[in-house]
Amino acid sequence: MDKPDETLVMRSRDFWAAIVLITVSVFFLWKTSDIPLWGENRAGVSGSDWYNSAAIVPLFIFGGLLGLSFVLLAISIRSGGAQNALTALGIGWDKSEAYRASTIGLILLAYVVGLVPRVDFILCSGLLITALTYGYYGGHARRSLVACIAVASAGLFAFAIFPAQADWNAHGDDWFTLVLWVSLTLVVLTKAASERLLRFVPLVAILAPLILVCAMAFVFRQNVPARGGLIFKQIEYHYYVTLRPLWKD
Amino acid sequence: MDFILSQLAGFGTAFVGLAVDPLTYLYLIASVFLGITFGALPGLTATLAVTILTGFFGNKIPLDYSLIALLGAYVGAIYGGSYPSILLNIPGTAANAATAMDGYPLAKAGRGGEALGLTTTASFIGTVIGTITLLIFVWALLLVSKNIASPEKALLALFGILLSGTLMSEDLVIKGWIAGLIGLAMSMVGLDPLLSEPRYTFGWSYLMSGFQVVPVLMGAFAIPQIIDGLRHVEAGKVLALKGRILPNLRSIRRYLPTIGRSGVIGTGVGALPGVGEDVAGWVSYGVGKTVSAEGDKFGKGSLEGLLCSETANNACIGGALIPLLVLGIPGSPPAAALMGAFKINNVIPGPTIDPEIILRVVAILVLASLTMFLMGLFTARVFIKILAIPQTIFLPVVMVLTTIGSFSVGGGINDLYLMLGVGAVAYFMNLMKYPIAPLVIGVILGSLFDETFRRSLFLSDGDLSVFFSRPGAAILMVLNIGLILSQLPVAKRAFSRLKGLSV
């Protein structure tokens, strides 16, 4: 794509961005009206002046944002962005790019929202590392779909079966994730014959989260996600019951 | 003279205190190695290295060790970016973009070893120049900053956000300002700092304390980088390294004036709020090309061109720490991540900072640059091997690191949701060519701006002239207005006409 086209695409996208920004600014300006501005009770003090209000700076910020959004809209319209806003050029839809980005997005969403709170950190991170490496090394579209399905189904299962925080220590989703991880690892190992780099994936997928979670929990004494997870629960138990007495006593 | 001697004595004490501690070396070697690795892998940046380590070490170990880890990674990553620039023609970090212009032609001509050796030396000297400048100027500025009151602080915070937005925008300047305002808007969430009035919390108790810095940093810097790195399949061909890496002393002597000038430029650019190493590299390269007798060789494999950018980007580190330590305004994106580390350790950079911390930061920078120098000279081939490892191996591990780091700082799942949300916004902003650094600087400086702006109004009974009547405030107001006006099309046309007349 040559330079002028790229600029035109950018200006068309700017048109949409300006509309989103105007909407957001107006919404937050409206929300700012919830904050007392003129002399009402605030923080237990009545009859304050306007300059004491907590709304002053937000008004300045969202007012500024609204003003700049209109300037951006004007620049976009002047550069032909509005004319192309609804064309394929304006939307800038590249099918393969969108496919890649959306599968990665879905994997990250399933991992952070579905898996990390509920599933043992070593298991879900191992699955994530295996999926991302296998799915995006070398740019094979089908592999990224397989990777996405594996992580998304694990995340969806955990999210759907154990939505409430009270159930996050249950192990059903841990087993499900483990099965998916092992299956995906077997798929990776079948491809490893032709692609040497893939041989290291299972090793990295096990060691990286294991070292990180143990360092965080036992070296830095920090909280880690899903403490009651299938593997970490055992590690923690043996650390305090079996290992620690060896040097504590 | 007495002042300089007392400074040196204080620095010496801090330096010896750190140098006799074996743990110092453990953290130094590990963090500089990690930093160089992050720099050497295209797609992983200095900001990402410092951000991830902020999440991992931030408030879990004593502050000194935490600073060693973060500054070591910072120094290492800025230098490490020169490896792929020279051997792959892909800048490892934005700071090394100018390095590729001459580094790659040199490597193609079989002088890669010489280029790397000189780069290592220049990066070391550059860091030392920036550090010495930091040691000298920080005190003078601290004296001045003690007289800075709320109106000046508010205008300074605004200037930092505007300047960062202006200089970091690769498309329209307005996008940088919008990014800065979005960051400011994000900092408004939670209880307001003066009256504890809840703002934009939507009834969610998690938002009462506002957006936590570390998840925002992780989301803004790490998530877009991970998605982008996995989206683009780029396998570069690493050139073979020919020639010895140990630098030739005659070459260094010959280019000493260039190194000195670039060091000063880099430090100066670094001291500008929110600008950073990439701008420093290009400015120094541009100046070098203009003043050099061999300016026509720049871009064709000139050692001088290589030294211009590499000295400046490392010198920028010390410069970027000046506004951070003196005013609490980060001078570069990695410095913004460093500010996050200060914040979670309850250290408030600015006029009230403990001078001991400044001396220790200077001592750590010297130790880190020495470590980087020795590692660069004697383990360069290890890092060249790392260049061959594809991003798809590293980035998933970075994602896991980011997640556990973000979780452990606040200890809650909500921080992860925040990280992901900010990451999604930052990814789309990246796609639309909005710079991310102003957003992060806006988040960091937002509460300072809010508090000082309103305190100024409190004290003046709502009289807005408080922002003009004080000399310091008047100067800053003129700078802010001047910066905005300078970006108007009319002003730009006038500038170009003036340029035309002066040629």
Side-chain angles (χ1 to χ4, degrees), chain A residues 24-227:
Chain A
V24 169
S25 309
V26 169
F27 171 75
F28 278 101
L29 279 170
W30 169 71
K31 281 300 291 178
T32 307
S33 65
D34 292 347
I35 304 168
L37 183 60
W38 303 106
E40 301 98 320
N41 262 339
R42 73 178 63 108
V45 179
S46 63
S48 301
D49 290 299
W50 65 269
Y51 53 83
N52 290 341
S53 170
I56 287 296
V57 175
L59 281 174
F60 165 79
I61 291 168
F62 291 113
L65 199 56
L66 185 65
L68 289 180
S69 308
F70 276 114
V71 174
L72 185 67
L73 187 69
I75 291 171
S76 162
I77 291 169
R78 262 214 310 270
S79 312
Q83 288 166 343
N84 295 293
L86 282 171
T87 62
L89 178 83
I91 295 163
W93 185 260
D94 177 342
K95 199 179 161 189
S96 65
E97 277 296 302
Y99 171 76
R100 259 179 110 71
S102 55
T103 49
I104 295 166
L106 202 58
I107 287 173
L108 296 187
L109 184 74
Y111 174 69
V112 170
V113 177
L115 295 173
V116 174
R118 298 169 181 82
V119 175
D120 183 276
F121 190 75
I122 297 164
L123 289 177
C124 67
S125 299
L127 175 65
L128 177 91
I129 291 170
T130 308
L132 286 179
T133 313
Y134 171 70
Y136 298 94
Y137 172 60
H140 305 278
R142 270 205 38 209
R143 286 187 189 182
S144 56
L145 184 66
V146 170
C148 182
I149 289 168
V151 181
S153 45
L156 199 63
F157 178 85
F159 190 81
I161 305 296
F162 307 107
Q165 196 162 351
D167 304 327
W168 285 2
N169 279 338
H171 291 322
D173 46 4
D174 290 12
W175 286 109
F176 186 75
T177 305
L178 179 62
V179 169
L180 280 167
W181 183 19
V182 170
S183 311
L184 192 63
T185 303
L186 291 173
V187 173
V188 169
L189 289 174
T190 56
K191 303 282 179 194
S194 56
E195 294 167 68
R196 268 192 55 224
L197 190 124
L198 291 179
R199 286 176 207 171
F200 300 104
V201 174
L203 197 67
V204 175
I206 293 168
L207 286 181
L210 180 70
I211 292 167
L212 285 177
V213 83
C214 289
M216 202 50 97
F218 308 126
V219 179
F220 300 129
R221 305 220 166 278
Q222 295 294 309
N223 193 14
V224 293
R227 267 200 121 89

Side-chain angles (χ1 to χ4, degrees), chain B residues 62-139:
Chain B
L63 180 66
D64 276 2
Y65 297 138
S66 183
L67 286 175
I68 291 168
L70 300 178
L71 289 168
Y74 189 1
V75 170
I78 296 295
Y79 157 71
S82 60
Y83 283 79
S85 297
I86 292 167
L87 299 170
L88 279 170
N89 201 21
I90 299 169
T93 69
N96 310 89
T99 309
M101 303 276 288
D102 291 292
Y104 190 67
L106 280 165
K108 269 172 83 175
R111 296 169 69 191
E114 186 186 4
L116 262 182
L118 277 175
T119 294
T120 307
T121 313
S123 295
F124 168 66
I125 297 172
T127 311
V128 171
I129 290 172
T131 307
I132 292 169
T133 313
L134 169 70
L135 184 64
I136 293 168
F137 279 90
V138 81
W139 306 102

Side-chain angles (χ1 to χ4, degrees), chain B residues 409-424:
Chain B
V409 171
I413 290 294
N414 288 322
D415 290 336
L416 293 183
Y417 299 156
L418 173 65
M419 178 191 82
L420 197 66
V422 172

Side-chain angles (χ1 to χ4, degrees), chain A residues 14 32 52 54 97 100, chain B residues 171 175 199-200 230-231 458:
Chain A
D14 286 343
T32 307
N52 290 341
E97 277 296 302
R100 259 179 110 71
Chain B
D171 185 21
K175 290 186 174 183
R199 295 186 296 197
Y200 316 112
L230 289 167
R231 261 180 62 217
F458 272 172

Side-chain angles (χ1 to χ4, degrees), chain B residues 25 28-29 32-33 36 75 79 83 117 120-121 123-124 245-247 366-383:
Chain B
Y25 298 100
L28 258 181
I29 291 166
V32 172
F33 183 88
I36 299 176
V75 170
Y79 157 71
Y83 283 79
T120 307
T121 313
S123 295
F124 168 66
I245 294 171
L246 279 177
V366 171
L367 283 166
S369 55
L370 271 168
T371 311
M372 175 212 82
F373 182 59
L374 295 172
M375 261 192 198
L377 290 186
F378 300 110
T379 58
R381 292 182 197 277
V382 174
F383 296 113

Side-chain angles (χ1 to χ4, degrees), chain B residues 8-64:
Chain B
L8 287 173
F11 162 73
T13 309
F15 187 85
V16 170
L18 287 165
V20 296
D21 183 357
L23 271 179
T24 297
Y25 298 100
L26 177 74
Y27 281 109
L28 258 181
I29 291 166
S31 64
V32 172
F33 183 88
L34 189 84
I36 299 176
T37 304
F38 263 69
L41 287 163
L44 304 184
T45 63
T47 312
L48 190 59
V50 180
T51 302
I52 283 173
L53 288 185
T54 297
F56 204 73
F57 288 129
N59 55 352
K60 298 163 187 71
I61 51 176
L63 180 66
D64 276 2

